[in-house]
Structures are given as C-alpha cells and as structure tokens.
Amino acid sequence: MPEQKLTGAQIVIKALKDQGVDIIFGYPGGAVLPIYDAIFQQNDIKHILVRHEQAAVHAAEGYARSTGKVGCVLVTSGPGATNAVTGLLDALCDSIPLVCLSGQVPTHLIGNDAFQEADTTGITRPCTKHNYLVKDVNQLARTMHEAFYVARSGRPGPVLVDIPKDVQFADGTYIPPTEVKHKTYRPQVKPEIARVEEAIELIATAKRPIFYTGGGVVNAGPIAAKLLTQFVKMTGFPITSTLMGLGAFPASDPQWLGMLGMHGTYEANLAMYNCDVMINIGARFDDRVTGKLSEFAPGSKKIHVDIDPSSINKNVAVDIPIVGDAGAVLEDMIRIWKARQKRADQTALKEWWGQVEGWRARNCLNYNRTEAVIKPQYALERLREALRGKNHYVTTEVGQHQMWAAQFLPFDEPNRWMTSGGLGTMGYGLPAAIGAQLAHPDAIVVDVSGEASFLMNMQEIGTAVQYRAPVKIFILNNKYMGMVRQWQELLHGSRYSNSYSEALPDFVKLAESWGCVGLRATTVAEVDEVIEKMLAVTDRPCIIDIAVDPKENCFPMIPGGKAHNEILFGPEDSPSDATPEDGMVLV
C-alpha cells in the first residue's frame, strides 16, 4: 500500500492528535496560516485564541502544570515568536513540558531579512530545552514526535519547532510516534541502587534530619507525591519544600514545616540551618532557598535526588548524589528501608522535634489583626476558608501577593498550585489560570494577583470571556509594586523610586466593560461577602479588587545573600537580631 501523502500543515495536526493534544493556545499570522487552515478542517483539537503570544505560553504552562500533560503553543514568525520568548524562558526555569510551534518565512527567504523574519532558533536556544528548524517536510513528523519526547522526558522543559511556510504547504510522508526513537537522548530514570543504599544508611543514623523537596516531585507525577508522603511518614522526619514543590506533601500534616527560603517559615529555615542530614528530592538549590552558600546547612550531610545530572553539585556540593526520577528513587528508598528494617533514632528524633516545635511556636506568620484596614494576609485567610473542601486550583502573579499566597494558602495535593518561580514573571497568573480553567472546567480557579502584575497581561480577560472561562482574579491592591517597595524600604532608605502605581483603572468598571463581574472590598467587614459573591459566579470571569494596607510588608524574610539564621520578622528587625537566644542551635 502506498504511503499516505499529507501537507506539512496536516502532518502537524496529525502529530498533535497522536501525541494526545486536545488544546492548543495560539495567535495566527501569515507564516502559520496553513496550520490554522488545517485546524479549521478538524474538530479534535480545540484552539484557544489568546491576545498576546506570551500569554499563550503561560496558558499552556497552566494547562501543563494542572494536568501533568505537555502544553502546546502555536505562534507566527518574527514578532509572534519573539513575544513567546518570556514564556519559554519561564517554562525552562520551572521545568514545564511545552511544545511551541512557530511559523517561519519560506526556506528560500531565510537569512534575507524577509518580512517578519527572525532567527527564532538562535533567539530561543538559551530559552528552551531544545529547538528545531525543519527544512524538509519528510522530517516534520519525526521532529514533532521527538519534540514531545524531549519536552516530557528527564527534566521537563519547553521545546520549539520552527516550521517554514513552504514546508507547511509541501507534501510529505507521515510516520506515527511508535516509529520514532530519539537517537541520543536517554535520561536516567532508575537510580544506582548502591547510591540509594548509601543514602538509606545515612538517613537511618540522622539525629537532626529534614526532607527538602521541590518541583521535581510534582513533575514526577501523583504517584511520586504519594511515595514521598509514605516515606516521610515512615521516618517521622520533618519536611519542607520550595515554592515550586508546594502540594507534593500535604500541608495539613503535622510533619510539614511550611515553605523554605527567603519568605519561608522560621521553623523550616531554622531546621534547615541546623540539620545534620538533608534529603533533597527534586529541588535544585536555588539561591532564593540557599541564601548565603557558605552557611547553607553548614553542619549537614547532603543527599541530592535529581533527574537532571547537571543540577547535582552545580550550586551546592553534596555527599550522596542520586540521579533518577523522584518517584523511582522514592520507590527504591521505601523498599530498601523496609527490607533492612530501618528505624529512625527515636530519642534523637524526639529531641529534634522538640527544637522544631519551639521554633514553630514563634508563630512567624502572625500579623497585626487589630487595624481597621484590610491586611492581605487576612484576605487570603478568608479565601482559604471559603475554598476549603472545594475542587480548586490557584495561580499567582509575582510579588508580595505571591509570597503571601504561598504562606497562607495550603495545598494537600500536587498540581493545584501554579506560580512563576525561577523567572518571577509578572503577568504569568491570569493566562496560567485560563489554561488551568480550560483543562478543568468544573473546578474553581483563582489567580491571586497584585494590581501591577495584573496590568501586565490583563488583555487576556478577553480570552477568558470568549471561552467562558470563569477564572477569579483576586487582586490584593496596595497601589504599589509591593515587593519593589518593600526592598526599597528595607535596603534603600525608603526611597520609593517609581514603585507607586499612580494611574490605576477602576477594576470593577474594567470588569464590567468586558462583560465580567467586578467586585470590591474596602473594609474588613466586606471581605467575606465579596468572596462569597465571587465563588457564586460560574459563567464568566470575575475581578475582585481588595483594597489592602499599602504599607504591609511580607515577612518572615531572609535578605538576599544572608544565611537562614539571619531571618527578619518585621521592618524593625536587622540580621543581627537573630541570636542563639531565639532558640537556634548554632552549629
């Protein structure tokens, strides 16, 4: 039987279907019109028309992070591709599996400064896990399947496929995914058993242990999170997490110490500083977590589990490196722990927990509840109570509100929390919320936002309206770029250079102009009512403007470059205020 010939555009669509893609986020342009024509002629893949290509990538991130699938993006050449760069880098930093398809000028015009031409593969090389320029239509199907394999395998990340317009028109041969195998990329999934055995022996002898987990556990899938919980419960050890790892271990469990790092809890940071055995699973020792490297858990032996070998010993030297998938490693750890009948040193562990509970009693997330003005922490506490027991997902923008959300919105499951961690991209939250909402149409999806971050991609309200995505934009409006203002106050003599938002829209009227619901709370008494009304809206987006205290800062805080024992509890503190009398065991 002769091989079936398809156009390049048809090959793209067939490959997407065979890869299980049901939604693609994009924006049309001349260099991708053949693919858009092929989309028009089928009904299996739904195209979501965004208002900006950066938002297309963030929406695909929200879809990917809430489902565990590969997100998919389609943009045109030149400015379409360059607009997507921020989103691609965001996905690279946070290990989000994406495939971005970009149009390109015809092959004979490449390098001629043609209309809407850009060196897309050159520009995106440092912003993607891998990228391709397809010049032969008969290589297109293979490249598409490879792109999905690379995006989802090993440490996930974004992959870009640049497709010239003449390749989209040309006839070529399609091959299914089963006939494609990457020639060289074979990430190590199963760990070396000898390394795992070595780790188990060290864990069993720990006196002051701590689990330190990251987004790698979430990326490894829900089974990995269950295995993590099982192993942590078996050991009885305390556990903390990075911003990206929230939800991999239930926040309601008493062994959970809260988030680690610059705005993490006192108990998590002090436990990390004083631990003698650190079990890092799926975290990359980011500077927002480690602080001053020379004083990062200075008296500890360190175990590091990561599927990306380049992450091991990159920032922090470790004693036992284990390369492998977090789920596979945890499975082996549990099996060996049981087989060798290991048990933690209960006397030492009891003493360690006594120290940890002393730090926890400090109640580091406490805030002034007596003032009449709405505190952002209070608004999030009320949101937390309103969401309790409901099927919900939370995205955030970037800034103070992001850190408060991480502190005050606990998660007991993975894939429910979506934020821009590594790149810190303002404008991430709204499109990510749309992506999550379209993936989970019956769930509540809330974007915790600041007024400045919301303005970065507020045009995507149009996308939410068009596709009836009832996302909730929960704006903590302090009329400042809050985190910028906080750093200016603490480090730059309260010289608030260009951090005040002097011209803001009326967010209620803005919502109404789009046909959305707009709500506002200006007093403490109005917060619960506004949240109740927000949750009752199920057929359209809702923008909630919460007028919060403009002077409130986000604490605890470890200043950049400082150690975990130099934590600040308020604007009146300085690093020298952290002393042994605070309950630290200085190593």
Side-chain angles (χ1 to χ4, degrees):
M1 184 176 179
E3 293 179 326
Q4 182 184 11
K5 292 289 185 179
L6 300 174
T7 67
Q10 291 170 333
I11 287 172
V12 167
I13 299 303
K14 186 164 179 56
L16 293 177
K17 291 179 183 178
D18 285 350
Q19 289 294 338
V21 174
D22 54 359
I23 293 179
I24 187 168
F25 302 88
Y27 201 95
V32 283
L33 286 185
I35 297 176
Y36 271 89
D37 191 48
I39 288 174
F40 184 84
Q41 298 181 58
Q42 57 82 54
N43 295 312
D44 296 319
I45 299 172
K46 183 175 183 178
H47 179 275
I48 304 300
L49 178 65
V50 297
R51 272 50 179 173
H52 192 283
E53 291 88 351
Q54 177 189 345
V57 186
H58 293 327
E61 287 185 273
Y63 174 91
R65 293 173 73 167
S66 65
T67 63
K69 299 179 182 179
V70 178
C72 204
V73 180
L74 176 59
V75 298
T76 194
S77 64
T82 58
N83 280 347
V85 164
T86 298
L88 291 172
L89 184 55
D90 188 271
L92 181 68
C93 291
D94 287 344
S95 305
I96 310 303
L98 298 180
V99 170
C100 178
L101 309 177
S102 60
Q104 185 55 274
V105 300
T107 51
H108 68 277
L109 290 179
I110 292 176
N112 288 352
D113 296 328
F115 176 67
Q116 290 195 332
E117 180 191 1
D119 178 9
T120 302
T121 52
I123 291 168
T124 62
R125 188 166 291 116
C127 305
T128 55
K129 184 177 177 181
H130 193 59
N131 64 19
Y132 301 85
L133 171 60
V134 183
K135 293 185 177 182
D136 180 355
V137 68
N138 291 306
Q139 292 298 315
L140 182 55
R142 175 178 297 278
T143 302
M144 289 286 296
H145 298 318
E146 277 194 10
F148 277 85
Y149 168 77
V150 172
R152 68 165 69 95
S153 302
R155 178 181 176 182
V159 177
L160 180 134
V161 182
D162 201 31
I163 312 172
K165 191 170 185 178
D166 57 326
V167 173
Q168 299 170 42
F169 276 122
D171 291 333
T173 302
Y174 181 79
I175 58 174
T178 53
E179 297 182 19
V180 176
K181 193 173 184 180
H182 200 284
K183 294 178 182 178
T184 58
Y185 185 52
R186 300 281 189 278
Q188 181 179 335
V189 176
K190 295 290 185 180
E192 293 181 43
I193 292 300
R195 290 291 195 185
V196 179
E197 291 173 337
E198 188 181 356
I200 289 297
E201 293 301 322
L202 179 59
I203 291 169
T205 63
K207 307 296 183 185
R208 301 187 307 277
I210 189 167
F211 281 94
Y212 157 35
T213 58
V217 180
V218 178
N219 288 339
I223 293 177
K226 290 178 181 178
L227 291 170
L228 172 68
T229 302
Q230 181 182 350
F231 192 43
V232 172
K233 300 304 291 181
M234 287 168 62
T235 63
F237 295 173
I239 177 172
T240 182
S241 167
T242 66
L243 180 72
M244 298 304 296
L246 297 178
F249 184 86
S252 59
D253 193 284
Q255 286 173 242
W256 169 248
L257 302 188
M259 184 177 69
L260 177 72
M262 180 172 282
H263 291 285
T265 65
Y266 183 57
E267 52 267 32
N269 282 313
L270 267 292
M272 180 64 78
Y273 183 80
N274 291 286
C275 73
D276 71 335
V277 174
M278 174 199 303
I279 307 113
N280 177 338
I281 303 178
R284 58 187 177 87
F285 292 110
D286 178 74
D287 65 284
R288 283 298 193 264
V289 164
T290 62
K292 189 176 182 180
L293 281 174
S294 63
E295 295 186 35
F296 175 62
S300 70
K301 295 285 187 181
K302 300 174 179 67
I303 300 164
H304 187 189
V305 176
D306 205 297
I307 199 165
D308 181 5
S310 71
S311 290
I312 292 179
N313 291 319
K314 181 178 182 179
N315 296 325
V316 172
V318 300
D319 300 279
I320 303 178
I322 303 176
V323 177
D325 174 79
V329 175
L330 283 162
E331 188 174 21
D332 284 337
M333 283 183 165
I334 292 170
R335 177 178 54 80
I336 294 169
W337 183 272
K338 287 180 177 179
R340 297 191 177 184
Q341 298 182 335
K342 293 296 183 182
R343 192 166 182 265
D345 182 333
Q346 296 302 309
T347 301
L349 190 58
K350 182 178 180 180
E351 184 178 343
W352 177 231
W353 268 111
Q355 185 74 63
V356 170
E357 292 299 344
W359 295 323
R360 185 182 261 165
R362 180 85 182 240
N363 193 15
C364 67
L365 297 183
N366 195 27
Y367 61 93
N368 187 342
R369 302 167 188 267
T370 62
E371 295 183 22
V373 66
I374 302 172
K375 293 292 185 179
Q377 302 96 319
Y378 175 79
L380 289 168
E381 284 182 333
R382 301 316 300 159
L383 176 64
R384 177 182 70 205
E385 292 307 307
L387 292 174
R388 192 180 298 278
K390 294 181 172 65
N391 178 22
H392 69 279
Y393 296 81
V394 173
T395 70
T396 79
E397 305 293 345
V398 170
Q400 287 176 318
H401 60 274
Q402 175 190 29
M403 296 297 104
W404 280 316
Q407 293 172 341
F408 288 90
L409 297 179
F411 295 89
D412 283 347
E413 299 176 56
N415 303 105
R416 300 281 177 164
W417 162 257
M418 288 150 279
T419 194
S420 176
L423 195 61
T425 307
M426 294 173 70
Y428 166 89
L430 172 55
I434 294 170
Q437 185 75 80
L438 293 172
H440 307 277
D442 297 326
I444 297 168
V445 181
V446 180
D447 170 31
V448 177
S449 181
E451 78 290 338
S453 279
F454 172 69
L455 296 178
M456 287 281 188
N457 271 320
M458 69 175 184
Q459 76 283 343
E460 297 311 314
I461 289 293
T463 303
V465 170
Q466 180 174 343
Y467 297 99
R468 294 183 173 86
V471 294
K472 288 61 165 118
I473 301 94
F474 194 79
I475 300 174
L476 299 178
N477 186 351
N478 60 10
K479 299 184 180 180
Y480 277 96
M481 286 176 260
M483 194 61 82
V484 173
R485 185 199 59 76
Q486 178 168 335
W487 282 59
Q488 287 173 335
E489 178 179 316
L490 297 178
L491 303 174
H492 298 279
S494 296
R495 292 181 292 277
Y496 302 127
S497 176
N498 291 280
S499 56
Y500 180 64
S501 301
E502 295 190 40
L504 290 172
D506 181 321
F507 289 114
V508 173
K509 290 181 179 178
L510 184 69
E512 292 170 349
S513 73
W514 255 307
C516 305
V517 173
L519 301 166
R520 178 178 291 116
T522 58
T523 67
V524 172
E526 294 172 332
V527 172
D528 282 351
E529 181 183 359
V530 162
I531 292 174
E532 183 180 356
K533 288 180 178 179
M534 172 192 81
L535 294 179
V537 178
T538 59
D539 62 343
R540 68 192 73 183
C542 184
I543 299 176
I544 304 89
D545 184 15
I546 309 289
V548 299
D549 185 353
K551 297 180 180 179
E552 188 71 6
N553 284 334
C554 185
F555 290 101
M557 177 183 176
I558 300 172
K562 299 295 184 180
H564 285 157
N565 66 327
E566 297 180 288
I567 193 166
L568 311 183
F569 291 93
E572 69 283 354
D573 286 348
S574 70
S576 61
D577 293 324
T579 67
E581 285 68 37
D582 287 331
M584 297 177 214
V585 181
L586 294 181
V587 184

